[in-house]
Amino acid sequence: MKHIEKGVGFKNLPRDFIRDMSVDNVTAGLVAGIFGLSAGVIHISAGTAAGLDPAFIMLWVIAYFVINGVFGLLVPSYYRLPLPMANSIPGALLFAAVIPQVGLAPALGATLIAGAISLVAGLGGVMSTVMRLIPMPIVMGMVAGILLSFGTKMVTPLESAMLPAAIMILTFFVSSRLLRRVPPLIVSMAAGIAYLVATGVDLSGLEFSVTFPQFVMPEFTMAAFLAYGLPLALILVGMETPAGVGLVKGMGYREVPANGITAVNGFATMISAFFNLHSTCIAAPMTGICSSPEAGDADRRWVAAVIVGAIFVLCGPFYGYFFSLIETMPGYFIAIIAGLALMRVLTSALSMAFAGHKHVMGALFAFLIATSGIQLWGIGASFWALVLGVLVSLIFETRDFGFIKRIAHEPA
């Protein structure tokens, strides 16, 4: 345990939470929570496309919210940092695709092994080495590539839904200039909701239901581990932690517990395997929302992440109802709110990737690959953005790596 970074702990947690609450971090937490709830649609779409049983898909999504929500309450509370927890989207797509091939129980067994690998990596303190081998400009190039799609999805509704999109976007900028004490996201959301009400949004299709995660026993096969477990372990250690740590550091936090995050990702993923869930890890887009300047003072932004966890735990069992509520909203509503919430994070990521004079080519390749969304051997673009970005930088920007400089100057 010597490599796990110490946090503030849970002493005086209720008092500190109430003391640090503000309109800004509560708003950011609500926005991130709503965004996270909408991400369940990705799981439903992936599961449906893979031909999975609808009953299992709903259990999978509900476990996603409840288990991730529990760890989303604990991790930011312990470290007092904006570290919301969710799960790996590339892992979700791979999980859905591999179940018809190897079966559910073996896929969950592979999840258990992947979590153990991540746990050992965190406990062994390897993340400091991993983060040293992956320079921050390359990490931030990858992050910027991921977030760019949120920016483009924010503006594309101007083509098909110009009036409501223009109202929400303009309201955000005007209120940020004129209403300094009111978070502009709140004003933009209120304007969007007012438009929906005025145009007669249909709520007749809402259905109420309650479901809880169900225990299942994983099985172990080599085929499932090679097809899914090993790629998931690489995603957890090589992509999810660097992306989350890079985002938080990009917002000005100097000390971010990379080993602790990786260990928690692994332990929580092992727990997830017993409840039909493929992973638990730091949530990059929601981390961007919770750690952004829109979430208020830096030392209070952890409250936003805790609120995300609370939303997940409370809404998870009722997700069938919340999913039908989200479905009644036009797609542009969530897309615009998420894009507005992540704008400052995107600009910061681009600045850290390209403002300096080191690893520029590697950062550019990482940005382009992450933006492309390519998948190779079932592994998502974020992972390959880091791998190929580092490879390009090693070839063309060798001297930018500090450890190579030291080796070159050591006497033979």
Side-chain angles (χ1 to χ4, degrees):
M1 298 289 286
K2 66 178 182 178
H3 297 292
I4 302 299
E5 300 88 348
K6 296 290 185 182
V8 175
F10 300 107
K11 187 178 181 181
N12 301 322
L13 175 60
R15 186 192 67 186
D16 292 350
F17 182 82
I18 295 172
R19 179 199 64 201
D20 288 347
M21 283 182 67
S22 70
V23 175
D24 290 319
N25 56 38
V26 170
T27 300
L30 290 173
V31 170
I34 293 171
F35 174 81
L37 291 175
S38 69
V41 177
I42 299 173
H43 298 68
I44 293 172
S45 301
T48 302
L52 304 182
D53 181 52
F56 165 74
I57 295 174
M58 192 52 62
L59 285 173
W60 176 30
V61 174
I62 288 169
Y64 154 41
F65 291 117
V66 174
I67 294 174
N68 293 175
V70 170
F71 284 97
L73 290 169
L74 297 174
V75 174
S77 296
Y78 178 76
Y79 282 111
R80 298 295 201 275
L81 288 171
L83 303 172
M85 304 294 286
N87 65 63
S88 170
I89 296 300
L93 301 177
L94 188 59
F95 181 64
V98 82
I99 289 175
Q101 302 172 17
V102 302
L104 174 60
L108 292 172
T111 296
L112 186 62
I113 298 174
I117 293 172
S118 180
L119 175 60
V120 171
L123 293 176
V126 303
M127 291 313 298
S128 58
T129 302
V130 172
M131 297 301 292
R132 190 164 59 248
L133 292 174
I134 308 176
M136 188 56 63
I138 295 176
V139 173
M140 298 313 292
M142 179 270 288
V143 169
I146 295 173
L147 297 183
L148 183 64
S149 65
F150 292 98
T152 57
K153 288 176 183 176
M154 176 187 72
V155 297
T156 50
L158 289 170
E159 183 178 27
S160 57
M162 178 178 289
L163 181 58
I167 289 173
M168 293 179 69
I169 295 172
L170 289 174
T171 300
F172 177 88
F173 288 111
V174 171
S175 64
S176 64
R177 188 67 181 267
L178 300 180
L179 304 175
R180 299 294 178 89
R181 296 182 178 273
V182 182
L185 279 174
I186 283 285
V187 182
S188 180
M189 288 177 65
I193 292 171
Y195 177 85
L196 293 177
V197 172
T199 54
V201 61
D202 183 15
L203 301 178
S204 60
L206 298 183
E207 298 179 2
F208 184 80
S209 62
V210 182
T211 309
F212 294 95
Q214 293 185 7
F215 181 85
V216 63
M217 184 59 68
E219 297 176 3
F220 302 97
T221 68
M222 183 58 69
F225 172 70
L226 293 176
Y228 171 64
L230 184 58
L232 179 63
L234 293 173
I235 289 170
L236 290 174
V237 176
M239 187 187 84
E240 300 295 355
T241 296
V245 171
L247 272 169
V248 178
K249 284 190 173 182
M251 290 297 104
Y253 294 87
R254 293 184 177 180
E255 300 296 329
V256 185
N259 290 318
I261 291 171
T262 306
V264 170
N265 289 353
F267 176 73
T269 295
M270 294 175 71
I271 299 296
S272 301
F274 292 95
F275 293 95
N276 294 297
L277 181 60
H278 68 283
S279 72
T280 295
C281 60
I282 186 171
M286 287 183 288
T287 299
I289 296 172
C290 293
S291 63
S292 69
E294 278 72 23
D297 296 337
D299 59 348
R300 297 185 176 188
R301 294 174 193 170
W302 67 277
V303 171
V306 174
I307 290 174
V308 173
I311 290 173
F312 279 12
V313 170
L314 294 175
C315 296
F318 307 98
Y319 189 70
Y321 173 79
F322 282 98
F323 176 63
S324 60
L325 178 61
I326 291 172
E327 276 194 317
T328 63
M329 293 185 177
Y332 66 77
F333 185 87
I334 298 295
I336 291 173
I337 292 299
L340 291 172
L342 290 168
M343 276 195 310
R344 294 278 290 275
V345 184
L346 177 57
T347 57
S348 176
L350 288 170
S351 175
M352 292 186 68
F354 301 115
H357 302 289
K358 292 185 176 182
H359 305 288
V360 175
M361 190 61 67
L364 176 61
F365 264 78
F367 173 75
L368 294 174
I369 293 166
T371 302
S372 73
I374 62 170
Q375 285 205 16
L376 302 175
W377 299 290
I379 303 177
S382 302
F383 175 79
W384 296 114
L386 293 177
V387 172
L388 298 178
V390 170
L391 181 60
V392 167
S393 194
L394 277 170
I395 295 172
F396 295 102
E397 303 165 319
T398 309
R399 291 288 180 178
D400 289 347
F401 287 86
F403 68 91
I404 293 179
K405 278 186 177 180
R406 289 192 295 271
I407 293 172
H409 287 89
E410 285 179 0

